[in-house]
Amino acid sequence: MTATTDVAPPSALLDELASWAAALHWSDIPPATRELAQSQIISNIAAVRASARHPLGRRLVAAFGPPDQRDPKSAAFVLAALAILLDYDEVSYVGHLSASGANVVIAYAAELGLSGRDAVTAVVAANECAARVTAATILGPFFRGQTNTHCHLVGAAVALLKARNASHEEWVSGLGLALGILPTPVHDAVLGSDLKALTAAAPVRMALDACDAAAAGLTGNATLLDGPDGLLGQLSTVYMPDAVVSGLGKRWHTDTLAFKRFPASAYAQAALECAERVHGALGPLEPSDVTRVRVFGSVLTWLLDQKVSSHPDGHARSVTAANFSLRYGMAVVLRTGTLRPSDLTPDAIADRESANLAATVVVEHDMELSEKMVRATSPLGQALRQAGRRALDWPELIALGGDDLEGRLLDLGPAEETFENATMSIGARVEVTFADGRVVIETCDVPTGMTGSDTRETHRRLVVDKFVGTGGSADTAALLGSLELLDPTSTADVLAAALGES
């Protein structure tokens, strides 16, 4: 396919994006990108499996049915909810893509007779479109993440439209209808209840309804993305319509995927890996062993901690609060050597020893780590490069930039033309001070599984280990890793096995 230039069209962004996605063919996708998408499917199913065994996951299944139920729309809803329930899903440059696109493809594969190549192509199309609309709004309020409902709306709609081989009219109207009503989660409700799982599931169902409406002839607004008063302008502080279509067919957002080893935010992975090393060297730590654990992180890691620790109940407030709590995660890893989905049950969260050790953890912003973070592709570097001087209108930049913001922005250089060498650097330094006066220090600039050269070489092994760790078989994982070879019947069979085997 012909790559577009880095110039935004004057109007009809949605039309151009839909036309590109509708025409996307397996052969247009670079082999490395296809491989990452197949690992994405494996990792996503592992996250679904892990959540389905959790008490909240069991309640979701009791309410809405199992993830492998026959009705694909209901299945997609449950899959989306389980995928993000424990923050064990994949992340990209712009956030969480799998909950919508990958799960809609999995849910509809049997009904629509998708071959393995059809399924992977639809996942990539969903990734690219959802990521681009989200990238155009990323310079807005911090901490949208999994609550970026427009990302889920686009991903789900594109996945179904691509899987159906929909007409151009259905594409434009389906996306226009899907994005016409934008759910806005209340962050305190997300942290203080079990709402988080529905922040992806509800938009997914809305998007699928919109596609069904478009198939029946209802029309959507084809220009709702366009202009400062359109959706992009309403969602972002910095208006970046060029991010929607620049580099189509050349800059693949799927190439920025990162795979978590711990059920926790991407902003916490480096600190948790440091804690894992401390435990590996010294064995289990208990509250009486430690006087203080200092975590130095980027501004995103610090802000993540503030969201939870600023509340009087901290990590004990809800399962979601514990899931987001870096202090609780650090305590568990220092005590046990890892963080598992089973550490996020209400009984585990109520453990007093973990709570007492978590009370010794403090999280501090380290400007040098923020600098390294911004110089990487993900999660902010590419957005700031693409915005250029426009980023000076983003108030949050003050927290990152310090003096001479314009000069520091220009020093980042131009936007990356491809993501073939994309990076993510959300690092951490951990200092553990023991009761006997010893201080142990561990650092991690790029945690295992995050975007970078190492992950590009090892992602398949990482996701297979994750899948097998949830009780899946190595044989099924191998078949999932070879989806491009499977016909429609075999594709449906292996997806069903991956969700159902115990």
Side-chain angles (χ1 to χ4, degrees):
M1 300 181 71
T2 302
T4 63
T5 61
D6 281 6
V7 177
S11 64
L13 289 169
L14 187 149
D15 185 272
E16 181 169 350
L17 190 64
S19 296
W20 176 84
L24 181 67
H25 187 270
W26 167 266
S27 61
D28 299 319
I29 306 170
T33 307
R34 300 175 200 153
E35 288 294 314
L36 278 163
Q38 289 181 92
S39 286
Q40 175 187 2
I41 293 169
I42 299 170
S43 177
N44 170 75
I45 292 176
V48 168
R49 291 174 57 85
S51 294
R53 299 179 175 189
H54 188 277
L56 292 185
R58 291 196 292 270
R59 292 173 188 170
L60 282 166
V61 169
F64 302 109
D68 56 353
Q69 60 190 284
R70 288 195 173 189
D71 174 37
K73 189 181 293 185
S74 297
F77 179 93
V78 176
L79 285 164
L82 293 173
I84 69 165
L85 179 65
L86 301 178
D87 213 345
Y88 209 14
D89 58 332
E90 308 72 52
V91 291
S92 72
Y93 149 51
V94 297
H96 302 255
L97 301 177
S98 298
S100 55
N103 286 310
V104 167
V105 171
I106 291 167
Y108 279 84
E111 179 179 283
L112 298 179
L114 301 181
S115 69
R117 288 191 175 190
D118 294 335
V120 174
T121 302
V123 169
V124 172
N127 286 346
E128 299 305 314
C129 293
R132 287 169 173 280
V133 173
T134 310
T137 65
I138 198 169
L139 297 185
F142 273 135
F143 281 93
R144 282 178 175 161
Q146 294 168 52
T147 63
N148 263 329
T149 56
H150 53 291
C151 181
H152 304 313
L153 289 165
V154 176
V158 170
L160 182 55
L161 293 163
K162 185 65 177 175
R164 282 179 172 171
N165 195 25
S167 68
H168 182 70
E169 291 75 16
E170 284 182 55
W171 271 92
V172 174
S173 286
L175 283 165
L177 290 167
L179 288 168
I181 301 175
L182 192 68
T184 305
V186 178
H187 285 290
D188 194 58
V190 171
L191 286 171
S193 71
D194 299 329
L195 176 68
K196 186 180 78 166
L198 303 183
T199 62
V204 163
R205 179 169 280 170
M206 290 176 65
L208 299 178
D209 285 341
C211 292
D212 287 345
L218 275 71
T219 60
N221 184 340
T223 61
L224 89 167
L225 293 181
D226 304 317
D229 294 328
L231 183 67
L232 303 186
Q234 292 183 37
L235 289 176
S236 57
T237 307
V238 179
Y239 183 52
M240 293 174 57
D242 42 302
V244 177
V245 294
S246 65
L248 280 170
K250 181 179 180 182
R251 184 190 296 136
W252 298 90
H253 285 252
T254 303
D255 290 344
T256 69
L257 283 169
F259 305 94
K260 300 174 186 173
R261 293 178 57 237
F262 305 104
S265 170
Y267 306 159
Q269 298 292 312
L272 296 175
E273 191 159 315
C274 288
E276 180 184 47
R277 295 175 191 170
V278 173
H279 181 278
L282 302 176
L285 303 187
E286 297 300 335
S288 59
D289 300 325
V290 174
T291 58
R292 185 169 63 169
V293 179
R294 298 176 75 189
V295 177
F296 298 89
S298 73
V299 66
L300 296 182
T301 303
W302 179 78
L303 285 169
L304 175 72
D305 172 70
Q306 291 298 300
K307 283 289 184 180
V308 178
S309 63
S310 60
H311 191 276
D313 294 331
H315 77 270
R317 189 180 183 199
S318 67
V319 169
T320 299
N323 199 190
F324 279 141
S325 174
L326 179 54
R327 300 184 189 205
Y328 175 70
M330 290 292 295
V332 172
V333 178
L334 288 171
R335 292 188 70 211
T336 71
T338 191
L339 180 68
R340 303 179 181 89
S342 58
D343 295 311
L344 297 169
T345 64
D347 286 345
I349 294 165
D351 181 80
R352 292 311 309 163
E353 293 301 294
S354 292
N356 290 337
L357 187 53
T360 70
V361 179
V362 295
V363 181
E364 302 179 29
H365 176 214
D366 185 294
M367 183 60 77
E368 183 177 347
L369 289 171
S370 285
E371 289 274 5
K372 290 180 179 179
M373 177 195 70
V374 169
R375 292 189 177 280
T377 308
S378 176
L380 285 175
Q382 174 71 3
L384 294 174
R385 293 181 182 93
Q386 194 158 22
R389 288 186 173 87
R390 289 176 292 180
L392 295 172
D393 295 330
W394 188 41
E396 284 83 353
L397 185 62
I398 297 172
L400 296 170
D403 297 330
D404 188 22
L405 292 182
E406 184 168 0
R408 293 160 76 87
L409 274 173
L410 294 176
D411 188 50
L412 293 177
E416 296 174 43
E417 294 186 1
T418 79
F419 288 146
E420 293 175 3
N421 298 305
T423 56
M424 178 190 287
S425 182
I426 308 177
R429 183 175 74 258
V430 172
E431 296 182 0
V432 181
T433 302
F434 288 85
D436 61 9
R438 287 177 300 148
V439 178
V440 174
I441 300 174
E442 287 286 349
T443 63
C444 178
D445 288 334
V446 181
T448 305
M450 298 297 101
T451 313
S453 58
D454 287 348
T455 298
R456 282 187 283 276
E457 294 178 2
T458 63
H459 61 84
R460 184 57 51 82
R461 175 176 57 79
L462 291 170
V463 300
V464 168
D465 287 348
K466 180 176 175 179
F467 179 80
V468 172
T470 65
S473 72
D475 288 343
T476 299
L479 287 171
L480 287 171
S482 302
L483 276 179
E484 78 277 5
L485 303 176
L486 303 184
D487 61 23
T489 299
S490 299
T491 297
D493 287 347
V494 72
L495 291 173
L499 290 172
E501 65 187 14
S502 58

